[in-house]
Amino acid sequence: MKKILRNGVVGAMSGVTGGVLISLAFSAAFSSTYMPSTPRFMAHFSSSVSAMGASVLLWAMMGVLWGTSILIFRIDSWSMTRQTVVHFAICYVVYTLLAELAGWFPQTFVWLRYTILFIGIYVWIWLTQYLWAKAYVARINAKLGKR
Amino acid sequence: MKVNMHVDTAQADEHAELFVQAITPKLQAAADELTQVDQQWWGYRDKEIVPLTLSLLSVIRVEDSNVIGYLAGQPPVQIRQRLYQLEASLPTNFVRVSKGEIINIQQLDHLTIALNGLINVLMKDGQIAMVSRRYTGVLKGRLGL
């Protein structure tokens, strides 16, 4: 519980920092003034203060999501497949929702490509862990065989 | 160092004597190991106290908040100590592999990996334990890897 809270706070702070830096970089590249997000997002707000406020809140929520959801991989009684699948399900749904609210997706967004990329990242995470565990088991069995 | 062993089945009081110039950490470790040789461990089976043969003890597992010791070729026993106490006081061939399990690496047969990524330990007596990722390093270290 304490860990969830701590990861949530650190995640929120990291999220806001990351959001500021990324939006600053995008603003510098594509616009003459600072904008926390895309023009499509800005159009929803009457003032830049409220747009910035909403952006900070969304960045913080994204940070909380990543910071706390990573703890799923610490649940020892779960298999790594279960951890990966549950983490994927939560993050795909919540992150996609937050990113959409933050106006990060273009209007002509290719959902299929996005979803395949998302799944691809998780397959890679699972595969890396599985191959590591497989090598671990092989190494120990080789050692046991020699005894 | 020269080591003499005087083997005699009629020996009543088993003991060891070391003639050394100084006590080094290595010697101290050896002496600690020797004093543990005859340290008696006890288990409980149907309200009866039974002596435990550590070499036969394969897996120690927490089941419904009871600590159960599984022995090769013998019925399981209940052990009164908590798992963390056992982890600290048992000889080094006993290794914690998960939150609720300690295994005897002398009784370890081999490891398997399931497709869901769980690493299982198969013991010579057929017991199966699970290695959680947190303890993979400890097991590796105890096996000298």
Side-chain angles (χ1 to χ4, degrees):
Chain A
M1 200 61 217
K2 219 166 127 191
K3 211 166 213 170
I4 297 176
L5 201 72
R6 199 187 60 194
N7 278 35
V9 171
V10 174
M13 294 193 294
S14 314
V16 172
T17 309
V20 166
L21 292 176
I22 292 169
S23 58
L24 193 63
F26 270 89
S27 298
F30 301 111
S31 156
S32 51
T33 56
Y34 173 74
M35 284 200 292
S37 189
T38 54
R40 191 161 73 93
F41 177 80
M42 300 303 286
H44 295 299
F45 300 93
S46 52
S47 74
S48 59
V49 172
S50 51
M52 185 65 186
S55 291
V56 167
L57 195 67
L58 287 166
W59 296 333
M61 282 161 80
M62 286 178 194
V64 170
L65 171 69
W66 294 115
T68 52
S69 64
I70 194 81
L71 293 172
I72 288 170
F73 286 100
R74 304 263 178 90
I75 305 173
D76 274 345
S77 52
W78 285 17
S79 76
M80 139 191 136
T81 305
R82 188 173 169 191
Q83 292 170 344
T84 315
V85 169
V86 171
H87 191 269
F88 165 79
I90 292 173
C91 289
Y92 179 77
V93 172
V94 183
Y95 177 76
T96 305
L97 189 76
L98 290 174
E100 171 61 23
L101 285 175
W104 285 6
F105 299 143
Q107 252 157 339
T108 55
F109 190 61
V110 187
W111 285 100
L112 188 67
R113 196 192 292 166
Y114 169 77
T115 305
I116 288 173
L117 183 72
F118 218 104
I119 293 173
I121 291 168
Y122 278 83
V123 168
W124 182 79
I125 292 171
W126 183 89
L127 211 62
T128 315
Q129 292 189 89
Y130 184 77
L131 291 177
W132 177 88
K134 210 177 157 175
Y136 174 85
V137 166
R139 230 182 129 201
I140 293 210
N141 283 343
K143 175 83 179 179
L144 289 169
K146 271 179 217 157
R147 291 205 314 177
Chain B
M1 188 192 298
K2 199 178 160 203
V3 176
N4 291 325
M5 290 223 197
H6 307 278
V7 182
D8 181 0
T9 48
Q11 178 70 44
D13 172 33
E14 287 187 315
H15 69 283
E17 279 179 24
L18 302 174
F19 301 90
V20 295
Q21 289 170 350
I23 298 171
T24 63
K26 222 172 167 178
L27 278 174
Q28 188 61 55
D32 289 345
E33 190 79 13
L34 279 173
T35 50
Q36 272 182 7
V37 166
D38 59 354
Q39 186 190 339
Q40 190 55 61
W41 292 80
W42 303 94
Y44 295 79
R45 196 184 285 144
D46 305 325
K47 289 173 188 164
E48 209 177 297
I49 303 176
V50 288
L52 282 181
T53 314
L54 286 192
S55 59
L56 294 180
L57 196 53
S58 150
V59 176
I60 304 165
R61 180 180 298 132
V62 180
E63 289 172 9
D64 304 322
S65 69
N66 290 320
V67 179
I68 309 292
Y70 288 90
L71 297 135
Q74 284 180 23
V77 294
Q78 195 182 337
I79 301 172
R80 291 284 163 92
Q81 286 98 329
R82 315 303 306 164
L83 214 58
Y84 72 90
Q85 294 171 324
L86 291 167
E87 186 187 12
S89 54
L90 281 168
T92 51
N93 52 305
F94 286 88
V95 188
R96 183 82 169 252
V97 287
S98 68
K99 211 170 162 188
E101 285 166 324
I102 290 176
I103 63 156
N104 178 0
I105 52 177
Q106 288 171 342
Q107 287 281 341
L108 169 57
D109 193 69
H110 68 283
L111 265 57
T112 60
I113 177 161
L115 207 60
N116 64 11
L118 282 181
I119 300 173
N120 285 320
V121 183
L122 275 78
M123 308 303 288
K124 286 173 183 160
D125 66 339
Q127 280 291 324
I128 298 173
M130 194 193 90
V131 188
S132 66
R133 230 170 313 160
R134 195 181 309 180
Y135 292 100
T136 48
V138 184
L139 179 62
K140 207 166 105 175
R142 292 285 173 85
L143 286 167
L145 285 168

